[in-house]
Each structure stands twice: as C-alpha cells, then as structure tokens.
Amino acid sequence: MTGRRVIEQRGLYFDELDEDVVYAHRPGRTVTEADNVLFTTLTMNNQALHLDAAWSAGQPFGQRLVNSMFTLSTVVGQSVSQLTQGTIIAQLGLTDVSFPHPLYHGDTLYTETVITRKRLSESRPGQGIVTMQHTGRNQDGTVVALATRSCLMWTRDAHAGRPAEPEKGSEEGSEKGTMTV
C-alpha cells in the first residue's frame, strides 16, 4: 500500500439503520431456467411444478414456476451487501413469508427492505435486534414475495473492538444451541 485510503464494502451497523426508510437493493436479478432447475435439484425438491414443462403447461399458471425458496433466498440475499455484510451476528428468524404472485423464468427480481423495528439487546452489550420487512417485486412492480426477518446486529463501537463486557457469572450461552438476546 502506498498510504491510500481503503474503503471496504460493508453493510450498515445497528446505529446506522433507520426505521421506516425504504432501502432499495440494486441491481435486480433476472432469474433463468438454469437457476430454477439447479436450485430445485440441489435442494432435492422434485416438485414437477418447477421441473416438468409439459406437466406444468396443464396447470393453472400454464408454465413452470420459480421455486419459492429460491425467490425467498434471493430476496434476502439482495439485501446483504447494503444492510448486513459484515455487520450481522446472526439471523434470528423469518416470519410472515408469503408469495402473492409467482415468479417465472425470465422475470427480474427487485427487492426493497424497510426497517420496521430496532432495539438494543438487553443481554448482549454492543448488539441490537433489527426487524426488516423485505418485499420482492418483478420487473412490472408486482409483489412476488414478502418476508419479515429479524437479525442480531453489531453496533459500530462494539464491532470496532470497544464492546461492553458481559457481567461475570452470566448465563449467556450456557445452553448449547441457544442465544439470549
């Protein structure tokens, strides 16, 4: 290095996220037949609605549908670089997942996220819980996916190595596989 300033791409810290703001994630992602078939077979989902063009042609939508788990994964994935890259500690859960309209091969998926709630953790200093509402839309603006996601996020100071230490004797993390937030 020659003394140049380095800017590392990262998500936003808990302190930088604002409620009721729309974070538009771009670019969009055009979904191909190969994406759908690969994801569907990798996850051992042999649903004909995703794989069998002839059978799907006789079904209500008249064609194969993109696997909804691919759609959900892509919606969440599109938010990572802008919101959680390097600033998330853990995904805590997904709720209220719905797919009001199918996504088809050749559609382009665009995602927006609204922070609906955030609070500092009561038991984990330097960390906070953020609730996000993700909305996936196709190229025509039609909503194809909705999901609410909760994440445990770093505060800027804590991630910079200045976290408050948990009290001695804390039961935090005493049970394997559990997390108190």
Side-chain angles (χ1 to χ4, degrees):
M1 278 268 154
T2 61
R4 289 187 184 149
R5 190 168 63 118
V6 175
I7 298 174
E8 183 175 329
Q9 182 176 337
R10 66 165 172 84
L12 300 174
Y13 286 106
F14 175 87
D15 338 47
E16 298 171 311
L17 293 165
D18 293 319
E19 292 181 8
D20 297 321
V21 170
V22 176
Y23 295 90
H25 313 300
R26 299 296 183 266
R29 173 70 158 78
T30 301
V31 179
T32 68
E33 177 182 11
D35 295 327
N36 189 41
V37 171
L38 182 60
F39 182 89
T40 298
T41 56
L42 280 172
T43 58
M44 299 180 67
N45 178 345
N46 64 352
Q47 176 53 254
L49 195 53
H50 307 309
L51 298 172
D52 187 330
W55 182 83
S56 295
Q59 298 307 304
F61 292 105
Q63 61 182 302
R64 288 173 290 167
L65 306 180
V66 171
N67 186 315
S68 59
M69 294 296 99
F70 177 87
T71 303
L72 177 62
S73 296
T74 306
V75 163
V76 170
Q78 285 180 314
S79 73
V80 168
S81 63
Q82 188 175 15
L83 298 181
T84 62
Q85 180 64 45
T87 58
I88 189 174
I89 298 161
Q91 177 164 284
L92 301 176
L94 288 162
T95 61
D96 305 316
V97 176
S98 64
F99 304 98
H101 188 275
L103 193 65
Y104 301 110
H105 301 156
D107 281 350
T108 300
L109 181 60
Y110 296 94
T111 299
E112 298 172 349
T113 301
V114 174
I115 306 304
T116 58
R117 184 166 187 255
K118 63 182 239 181
R119 69 170 177 84
L120 288 170
S121 172
E122 296 172 8
S123 63
R124 300 175 72 90
Q127 301 173 13
I129 299 168
V130 177
T131 303
M132 307 173 184
Q133 173 67 50
H134 297 296
T135 302
R137 300 176 193 275
N138 69 12
Q139 65 281 353
D140 299 321
T142 303
V143 175
V144 297
L146 295 164
T148 301
R149 179 165 73 128
S150 296
C151 299
L152 186 62
M153 305 283 297
W154 286 110
T155 62
R156 180 189 293 267
D157 285 348
H159 203 226
R162 298 181 294 267
E165 295 296 321
E167 293 179 29
K168 297 269 185 212
S170 168
E171 292 183 27
E172 180 180 327
S174 62
E175 291 182 45
K176 187 176 183 177
T178 63
M179 179 180 291
T180 304
V181 291

